[in-house]
Amino acid sequence: MRAKLAMVFALLLFSTVPAVATPIEISAMNVKPIELKQIASSARIVALANGSAEIVSALGLRKALVGRDIASTTPELSSIPIVTSGHQVIAEKVISLKPSLVLIDANTGPKNAIDSIKAARINVVSVSEAWNLKDIYTKVDQIGKAIGLKQEA
């Protein structure tokens, strides 16, 4: 039996034909222009929605993050200031960072802190919560839209 398996394995191993790459020619007619969006260097994002700092970072705007919640603990976010006490938003800390956008979800609070941020004329966008893999796509899409990267999201 072992000899048969060895023979079958050898036949499979040595009977395959190596793939041959076929050269192709690319002309100017085949090239399509692409548009690269310039993200405003003045974008300042405070990510308070669960997982939103990680999503913003993954979409390439890590440098635009100026504040985060305590639950965002990945190493690349460690230099970004935490603007919460536990899971409670401290409005004064958020406002002092002069963000152009604050991302929140249904669990971000307290409500009076969010109201204070809105009263300071800071753009606050609420995104869906995602507690399972099925919902994460919606959350990534909403954050992408909020930060101007809907296509990338």
Side-chain angles (χ1 to χ4, degrees):
M1 178 71 169
R2 234 182 226 184
K4 274 187 177 179
L5 285 175
M7 183 183 277
V8 169
F9 180 73
L11 284 172
L12 288 173
L13 184 65
F14 296 113
S15 67
T16 58
V17 177
V20 177
T22 307
I24 60 169
E25 221 175 282
I26 299 175
S27 70
M29 302 279 294
N30 301 99
V31 178
K32 294 180 183 176
I34 60 169
E35 180 184 336
L36 297 176
K37 287 184 184 177
Q38 177 66 38
I39 304 301
S41 60
S42 62
R44 298 178 58 81
I45 302 167
V46 173
L48 301 175
N50 185 29
S52 62
E54 292 84 352
I55 294 169
V56 170
S57 181
L59 289 171
L61 287 183
R62 186 343 232 120
K63 289 184 178 179
L65 285 168
V66 295
R68 64 183 168 103
D69 68 320
I70 196 167
S72 298
T73 59
T74 57
E76 73 267 10
L77 301 174
S78 64
S79 65
I80 299 167
I82 295 172
V83 296
T84 57
S85 175
H87 292 286
Q88 300 291 305
V89 176
I90 303 170
E92 295 79 12
K93 281 188 178 182
V94 174
I95 294 166
S96 73
L97 295 172
K98 298 181 178 26
S100 55
L101 173 66
V102 176
L103 296 169
I104 65 170
D105 61 24
N107 281 321
T108 307
K111 183 183 179 322
N112 64 344
I114 302 306
D115 290 343
S116 295
I117 294 166
K118 288 178 180 178
R121 297 182 176 217
I122 296 170
N123 184 22
V124 176
V125 175
S126 184
V127 296
S128 299
E129 293 181 292
W131 300 107
N132 59 55
L133 289 176
K134 185 181 104 185
D135 296 335
I136 193 68
Y137 297 108
T138 302
K139 186 170 196 148
V140 170
D141 188 53
Q142 290 173 347
I143 291 172
K145 183 179 177 185
I147 64 176
L149 294 175
K150 182 149 177 67
Q151 286 291 101
E152 291 81 347

